Amino acid sequence: MGILSWIIFGLIAGALAKWIMPGDDPGGVIVTIVIGVVGAVVGGYIGSLIGWGEVDGFNIKSFATAIGGALVLLFAYRKIKG
């Protein structure tokens, strides 16, 4: 996937992660985008390590992996920022 696809994918994943796990975050929309994009990358990396295969396109498995990675990063971000 190209960088624009990852940004759009990450924006959607970050927004859904914030919707699934609502709360007061010290960041705004930009932080949500960053968490989504990085979460998509981290989720894809972890998914490939545990044998789920590569994140290779806009499909349900890739989308779920990106949302899962964004949720993990959002949780970690909240714990670090207090």
Side-chain angles (χ1 to χ4, degrees):
M1 288 191 338
I3 189 71
L4 184 60
S5 298
W6 276 109
I7 291 171
I8 293 169
F9 204 63
L11 173 64
I12 295 168
L16 284 174
K18 194 153 178 128
W19 178 72
I20 292 169
M21 203 164 80
D24 291 332
D25 294 319
V29 175
I30 300 299
V31 173
T32 300
I33 293 170
V34 170
I35 287 174
V37 172
V38 174
V41 172
V42 169
Y45 178 72
I46 291 171
S48 66
L49 284 179
I50 62 174
W52 285 357
E54 298 293 322
V55 177
D56 57 357
F58 199 82
N59 55 41
I60 297 297
K61 183 176 76 169
S62 298
F63 195 57
T65 303
I67 293 171
L71 283 170
V72 168
L73 284 181
L74 184 59
F75 178 78
Y77 178 71
R78 287 181 181 173
K79 291 298 178 187
I80 290 170
K81 289 293 183 179

